[in-house]
Amino acid sequence: MLKEYKDFNKKSELIRKEYINTQKEKLNHYTKECLDYILYQQSQTEKLLKNRLKTYATQAHAVASHIYNTHKGKLSDKEIKARIKEAIYAIRFNKGKGYIYANTLNGKGIFYPNTPQNEGKNLLNLKDINGNFVIQKEINIVKKQGEGFPEYSKKDTIPNKYNAYTKFAYVKHFAPYNWYFGCKAYTEDFLEEVQQETIKRIQQMKFDADGSFFVYQENGTCLVHKNTISIGQNYRDYTNKERSQNTASLIEIAKKKKSCFKEYKVSNCSKGTKLSHVRWVDNWNWMIGLGTYTNQLELNIKEEREYLEKRMFQFMYDILLMLILAFILLYFIAQALEKIMNKNFLSLQNFFRKATSSSLKINPSNLNFSEFKELANSVNKMHELRTQKELELLKARKKAEESDRLKSSFLSNMSHEIRTPMNAIIGFSELLQDDTISIEHQKEFLEHIKTNGKSLLTLINDIIDFSKIESEELKTISTACNINALLNDLHQLFLEEKERLNKTRVELKINFDLPDSKATIQTDPLRLKQILTNLISNALKFTNEGWIQIGYTQRKDNQLLFYVKDTGIGIPKDKQDIIFNRFRQADDSHTRKYGGTGLGLTISKKLCELLSGKIWVESNVGQGSDFYFTLPYLQSEITKTPSTKNNIAEPSSIEGKKVLIVDDCPRNILLLKKMLDSAKLNIRTATNGKETIALNQEEDFDLILLDIQMPEKDGFEVLKQLKKRKPDQIIVAQTAYALARERQKIMETGFDAYIAKPIVRKKLITLVTNLLS
């Protein structure tokens, strides 16, 4: 004890120094973390502004496109334009200061909500404060890229708030009337929002139980402080003059040195001297700081010394007393301890000997000392933990075995579902090579090949969607959708499918709950159609007679309840909870009667969740199944939506146009030429990038169908060289890359349009006709 006391005196000075250094390191670390966060927030201002501008311009474009597509051929262009302007005027942002404007590609102003005098004027020579031809820059971006962010040069010699911060704009082409939509703003408009978010985050940061950050502006206004009364005040107005002087000194030294420590005394404070670390934030002219009281260490050392002295005297007294009692009681205690210890050791020895061959627990009541009882309890806990872990391991093994079985069953089923249509495609293709087959049989075989090809493509799309679900990349796009029109299209589609499957004893019913004027909602039409298609396909697959009913009702909780009911085979109760899980079907054995991958319901469940709904089933074996799912009833202002069916454009207007088909596969070239025969185009072909560039230099083509993946030069490299020679050259990407992110990458590189393989003839002719008309 005496040695401990002497060592403490020697180490106290060292502890003081180490404590100060440690506190400095901690203060420096936490203030740097705070500064790093502020710098990160500064870097996000531009990104936040650009994302919002793009969102607003894209929203305006979507609204205008919908109005145009809805009323095209029904109203005059003048009426359609008026409706577009009326709808776009309502789009506001940045507390009402920001708005959408529109011009023609000739520079004529179409609409300006805040400056209507620009409407109808030629604005090509319009300049900003820095001499930039703003409208010309915007038109160049639209012509070259279709949409994007124009760049503006800045002249720092002109003292003006509009060049103190960066200006950004976003423009997007509106093809039907050769307009473009745009919106613009300054980073200054979003600076206050970013700073407020930063202040909230700093207020949540903690140094220790007592410490927290303080932040002051250059003008002295307090933004963050542990004492909330100080927030919003200027340090010059503090009633405590010493505190006001200390704050002024910290701001001054932070501006000069950017990062420094300062130690100063605080009167009338039991904690004494305070050590603070401050940093300066250049762009925002903020001082951030953090402090701690060093005299707390002296109090701790003093308390520790007093505690040691007390322990030393108590120790000396206890030693003396124990020596006296020890000589008196030693003999008797030793005898009693020997007997008790022998008994406890014997009990433990017997337990461990038996535990090697059987699962046992120790009874602590048979032991005398608390240490032995604690040891017994620890051993019993180890026994319980081992038993629990063994049970968990057994459950995990069974779960892993079941998961492995389900995956194996899924992969086996997937192989079957892929090979079945492939067998038909390859088999009937070989039969078509037989010259003795009649024309009727040839048509029948071609129909089989087409049907199985579509089935295989549907399976591939399901696998892609399932892959997106597993990687959490599946996204939805919310637009206006008339659910009555969508259900009518599905009803007609499955009436034809029912006839094809020869299910004449099945009646297909449809039921609406809303009139057309109230049936347009805000959702993702493609994903909604995908959910209903999966459910109706399943109902048709498992129903051989009776009826199938599709429809929806409006619930009181502002939800739409969609349903697909059938009188089919039904689903057992013990299977109804697993059919929505991945790799699971009501029947996943090799002897199952009905085909399918089991992915449809898994995908449908995920799509429902992404659309803020839920899906479930009610069913009885032999009586049919009722599938339900809900969607929010978000009624759209647009009350009419055209039919989802595609119409083939009239190709007569493009007869004789020069088209270049580029593909490294001769079969693909032959296929595309045959598909375009009816358009009577002047078609040339190329099989690689070099040949394409050479042909384009020899003659001008009205349109180029360009494959992406080719040897020597890929489609992206060829696109750059072709656009460099002729920026307005119409180039369409035709590729097997079909994922949304791949399509986005292709369109962002400068292609004018995109068509995915396998290519459908109607879609190809419509696309080419629209681009060349």
Side-chain angles (χ1 to χ4, degrees), residues 112-176:
Y112 281 80
N114 283 18
T115 55
Q117 62 271 21
N118 287 336
E119 296 180 3
K121 285 186 178 181
N122 188 320
L123 305 177
L124 285 176
N125 295 322
L126 182 65
K127 295 182 181 179
D128 63 9
I129 190 71
N130 291 311
N132 293 301
F133 288 92
V134 290
I135 303 302
Q136 292 183 23
K137 285 181 176 289
E138 292 174 354
I139 291 174
N140 288 337
I141 287 291
V142 172
K143 286 184 176 180
K144 290 180 180 179
Q145 303 176 8
E147 58 184 284
F149 296 94
E151 295 182 358
Y152 302 99
S153 61
K154 182 175 68 174
K155 297 179 181 179
D156 296 331
T157 58
I158 302 175
N160 188 286
K161 76 168 186 176
Y162 296 109
N163 55 41
Y165 299 94
T166 305
K167 177 176 70 176
F168 292 99
Y170 189 84
V171 292
K172 186 176 181 67
H173 185 218
F174 183 60

Side-chain angles (χ1 to χ4, degrees), residues 263-308:
E263 190 171 349
Y264 50 94
K265 293 186 178 295
V266 180
S267 302
N268 301 323
C269 180
S270 61
K271 297 181 180 180
T273 303
K274 186 173 184 179
L275 175 66
S276 292
H277 183 246
V278 292
R279 289 179 181 267
W280 189 254
V281 184
D282 283 320
N283 291 338
W284 291 356
N285 291 328
W286 285 7
M287 178 196 73
I288 59 173
L290 197 61
T292 185
Y293 291 92
T294 58
N295 275 24
Q296 184 61 40
L297 172 65
E298 298 298 334
L299 294 175
N300 293 340
I301 292 175
K302 181 180 178 181
E303 291 175 0
E304 184 68 19
R305 181 179 284 108
E306 292 175 351
Y307 173 72
L308 286 173

